């Protein structure tokens, strides 16, 4: 194993075309450089530089060795840059894409991040559509999908999973209950799909059985706030994520419908283009989400909607 300092001294001599020029550039005595290069040649057992009183010539093997030295030194500089970047204080703008359903959670966990990193500015794009990270200059996209994105150029960091559950207001259940799986399509429903005359819910139970429910929604909207409010007001039954209905369940404004059934599990994850050269601010936000988002999701899953069959809910 060669001393990196010796490799750097040798590369400097070749790069500056002489011992004197290298000594001046490095502010190192010429005698020290000459001594270290001679020791390096003895250790390698080859002549790297032909010396005379009038000129210096690099041998063929010396030229090849120089090129490899430059490559090694460049890699060392890159490694040091990674460490320096990791130690740097997060600062600058981070552009984050978030599905609308996660707005309450982001609003809850983001202030702590902003307080901890006052030099960071966060710009949030709230959308359900898949964004093009490069084209739209998005640093991190939070996504909820049945599976991971197929783009192999994207890095995925999983935070957990979510499910959609059936819910309605207690007042609605008094008017329309009891609601069974076979009767579900007969009662008023709400859909998160826009401009649709028919909605199809694919439901699974704890035993892995799958059922499809086709209904004609009385209200369809992609805005979770509208659907949540309409469900609380007794307009119909909705199938929405636990992160949306959690507040209603806790407050007693909503009750589970068919608590043994739900949608299939969907992955909650962040995608970004690369870990290489990632700015400290971006890395800090991803790490913050990785710690706090699963905790918020767990709190939602604690209240919805695993109810015992004998409870006073629809079955």
């Amino acid at each position: 194993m060669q001393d990196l300092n010796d490799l750097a001294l040798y590369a400097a001599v070749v790069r500056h075309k002489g011992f004197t020029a290298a000594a001046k550039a490095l502010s190192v005595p010429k005698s020290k450089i000459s001594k270290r290069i001679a020791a390096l040649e003895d250790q390698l057992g080859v002549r790297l530089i032909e010396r005379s009183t009038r000129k210096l010539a690099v041998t063929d093997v010396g030229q090849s060795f120089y090129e490899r030295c430059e490559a090694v030194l460049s890699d060392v500089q890159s490694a040091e840059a990674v460490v320096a970047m990791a130690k740097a204080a997060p600062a600058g703008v981070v552009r984050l894409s978030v599905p609308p359903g996660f707005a309450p959670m982001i609003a809850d966990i983001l202030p702590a991040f902003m307080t901890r990193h006052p030099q960071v500015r966060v710009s949030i794009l709230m959308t359900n559509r898949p964004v093009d990270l490069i084209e739209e200059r998005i640093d991190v996209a939070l996504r909820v999908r049945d599976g991971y994105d197929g783009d192999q150029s994207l890095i995925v960091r999983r935070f957990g999973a979510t499910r959609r559950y059936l819910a309605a207001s207690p007042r609605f259940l008094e008017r329309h209950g009891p609601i069974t799986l076979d009767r579900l399509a007969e009662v008023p429903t709400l859909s998160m799909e826009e401009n649709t005359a028919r909605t199809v819910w694919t439901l699974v139970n704890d035993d892995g059985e799958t059922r499809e429910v086709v209904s004609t929604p009385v209200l369809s909207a992609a805005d979770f706030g509208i659907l949540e409010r309409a469900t609380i007001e007794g307009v119909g039954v909705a199938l929405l994520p636990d992160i949306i209905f959690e507040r209603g369940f806790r407050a007693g404004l909503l009750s589970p419908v068919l608590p043994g059934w739900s949608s299939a599990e969907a992955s909650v994850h962040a995608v970004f283009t690369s870990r290489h050269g990632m700015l400290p601010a971006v890395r800090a936000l991803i790490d913050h989400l990785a710690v706090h988002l699963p905790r918020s999701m767990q709190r939602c899953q604690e209240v919805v909607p695993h109810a015992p069959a004998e409870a006073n809910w629809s079955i």
Side-chain angles (χ1 to χ4, degrees):
M1 183 68 68
Q2 304 301 322
D3 188 329
L4 286 176
N5 291 320
D6 289 346
L7 300 186
L9 291 175
Y10 172 70
V13 171
V14 177
R15 191 184 312 116
H16 293 287
K17 298 181 174 58
F19 287 91
T20 301
K24 183 178 181 180
L26 300 177
S27 298
V28 176
K30 177 181 175 181
S31 58
K32 179 179 179 179
I33 296 178
S34 180
K35 180 180 179 180
R36 295 308 304 165
I37 298 303
L40 178 62
E41 289 177 322
D42 289 342
Q43 186 176 3
L44 293 172
V46 295
R47 197 73 168 170
L48 300 173
I49 299 174
E50 295 292 352
R51 305 166 181 80
S52 71
T53 56
R54 303 183 60 180
K55 66 177 183 177
L56 175 150
V58 180
T59 64
D60 289 341
V61 67
Q63 180 62 34
S64 298
F65 186 69
Y66 162 73
E67 293 170 0
R68 295 309 307 157
C69 286
E70 289 284 40
V72 169
L73 294 172
S74 177
D75 287 342
V76 171
Q77 291 176 345
S78 297
E80 291 175 340
V82 169
V83 175
M85 182 175 290
K87 293 169 62 178
V93 178
V94 180
R95 296 174 177 85
L96 173 67
S97 170
V98 178
F102 278 78
M105 287 187 178
I106 296 299
D108 182 52
I109 66 179
L110 197 58
F113 174 81
M114 305 300 295
T115 300
R116 183 177 181 183
H117 303 291
Q119 300 302 315
V120 176
R121 291 177 291 148
V122 179
S123 177
I124 298 177
L125 171 64
M126 199 70 64
T127 179
N128 268 327
R129 65 177 176 80
V131 298
D132 186 319
L133 273 68
I134 297 177
E135 183 70 22
E136 300 182 56
R137 299 175 63 221
I138 300 296
D139 297 302
V140 185
L142 184 63
R143 293 179 177 173
V144 183
R145 300 285 188 272
D146 293 337
Y148 296 122
D149 297 86
D151 190 342
Q152 298 300 312
S153 67
L154 297 179
I155 308 299
V156 177
R157 185 163 180 178
R158 189 176 186 273
F159 296 146
T162 183
R163 289 178 182 268
R164 290 182 292 155
Y165 295 96
L166 293 163
S169 71
R171 181 175 53 183
F172 180 91
L173 295 177
E174 289 177 3
R175 295 199 312 266
H176 296 276
I179 299 175
T180 65
L181 190 61
D182 292 332
R183 285 197 60 243
L184 183 58
E186 301 173 6
V187 302
T189 58
L190 313 178
S191 174
M192 61 185 295
E193 299 176 16
E194 293 181 300
N195 300 321
T196 181
R198 191 184 73 156
T199 187
V200 180
W201 290 337
T202 301
L203 305 176
V204 297
N205 64 13
D206 296 337
D207 296 326
E209 182 183 355
T210 301
R211 290 282 297 271
E212 281 194 352
V213 176
V214 181
S215 66
T216 301
V218 297
L219 173 64
S220 60
D223 186 282
F224 292 116
I226 294 175
L227 295 177
E228 179 189 34
R229 185 66 183 180
T231 309
I232 292 174
E233 293 296 332
V235 176
V237 176
L239 179 70
L240 285 182
D242 49 14
I243 59 176
I244 300 299
F245 281 150
E246 178 260 348
R247 293 173 300 178
F249 283 128
R250 286 190 186 276
L253 300 174
L254 294 173
S255 295
V257 176
L258 301 172
W261 294 84
S262 70
S263 72
E265 188 176 84
S267 168
V268 179
H269 54 275
V271 294
F272 42 96
T273 54
S274 175
R275 290 189 176 91
H276 179 70
M278 180 183 290
L279 295 176
V282 177
R283 185 180 301 278
L285 180 57
I286 294 173
D287 291 342
H288 185 82
L289 293 174
V291 171
H292 296 281
L293 196 58
R295 294 176 182 173
S296 295
M297 293 169 59
Q298 180 61 37
R299 286 196 297 270
C300 294
Q301 294 163 4
E302 289 172 355
V303 297
V304 293
H306 304 291
E310 63 272 20
N312 189 26
W313 289 326
S314 60
I315 57 173

